[in-house]
Amino acid sequence: MKKLSLFLMLIGFGVPLFFTGCSHLSVPAEKSVDLDAILTSLRNDKEVKDYVCSHNSKEIAVIYSKDEQESFAVISTQTGRKTIIKDNDLTGSVNLYSPEWSYDDAYLSVNEGCCVMHGTYVIDVSTQKRCYEFGNTAMVWATNQNRVIYEDVDESVTPVLETELSGSCELMCYNAETKQKTKIVPPSPKYGYRPISFDGTGNRLTYERTDLQSDEQYILTLNIPLDHQTSSSS
């Protein structure tokens, strides 16, 4: 009986703990010894608005909100140290949401504004400084390089129907390491675009195309090679 109890205890300790108190929380199975305690503290902190673990579980991006004043920070699960991202656009009376890590946790993105039209900021985690910003309605990180695909607006192309945007949609690719920006899907007055996800290779993008006149939606795929990031809509 004692052996059975010991066996059950070992099974219990071997099962990874996953918390679902936040819609953007993702906890990998390989945790540091401090992760559970930090996550418990964040869940119980009324000033915490949103948080997300890095893929390697070593850091947590946190959005704090108190008296309508917000701030963006990174907490080390190894030391417990909290580093506030000192950027004027990410501190104060702002509306921050949906923090995301790049594939190797070298960069962070966070949205600011409202869901219809908002700004997205890309932060270099090593320097805690902004390295890029763009206005968009959707974005997705690639799964093999620090590239982000985002929906942009070309104001020089007038859409066939009046929308909440000031022009026509296009899909752009930004490489956080090389700072290269490339047009992936050119703007069209007939369609709206929204990136959805990358497959496991990080080279094949799935995105949505919406016909502005009929509201019909299509799910399309597009190959984006690493060495040549230009392509056309399928």
Side-chain angles (χ1 to χ4, degrees), residues 119-220:
T120 295
Y121 299 92
V122 179
I123 308 298
D124 187 325
V125 178
S126 64
T127 63
Q128 289 89 46
K129 293 183 179 181
R130 182 198 317 183
C131 59
Y132 192 60
E133 63 179 280
F134 48 88
N136 72 96
T137 55
M139 59 154 286
V140 61
W141 283 99
T143 54
N144 64 338
Q145 279 197 343
N146 287 321
R147 299 177 298 158
V148 59
I149 303 297
Y150 63 95
E151 177 186 346
D152 201 7
V153 177
D154 188 331
E155 296 184 351
S156 67
V157 180
T158 303
V160 291
L161 292 179
E162 184 177 352
T163 67
E164 296 173 329
L165 305 178
S166 57
S168 295
C169 290
E170 61 184 355
L171 293 184
M172 301 293 295
C173 174
Y174 172 71
N175 189 314
E177 294 179 354
T178 65
K179 314 305 181 193
Q180 178 185 4
K181 185 173 69 171
T182 309
K183 191 185 303 292
I184 299 300
V185 177
S188 169
K190 298 169 52 180
Y191 302 115
Y193 301 108
R194 182 176 68 89
I196 298 175
S197 64
F198 275 93
D199 68 0
T201 69
N203 299 331
R204 191 167 183 81
L205 172 73
T206 298
Y207 68 101
E208 179 183 86
R209 188 184 73 184
T210 301
D211 189 306
L212 298 180
Q213 293 178 302
S214 66
D215 284 334
E216 292 183 345
Q217 295 180 334
Y218 300 89
I219 302 299
L220 306 175

Side-chain angles (χ1 to χ4, degrees), residues 32 34 38 58 64 74-83:
S32 76
D34 298 319
I38 294 175
K58 293 182 178 180
Y64 290 93
V74 175
I75 296 177
S76 169
T77 61
Q78 314 300 302
T79 65
R81 179 183 177 184
K82 179 173 70 175
T83 302

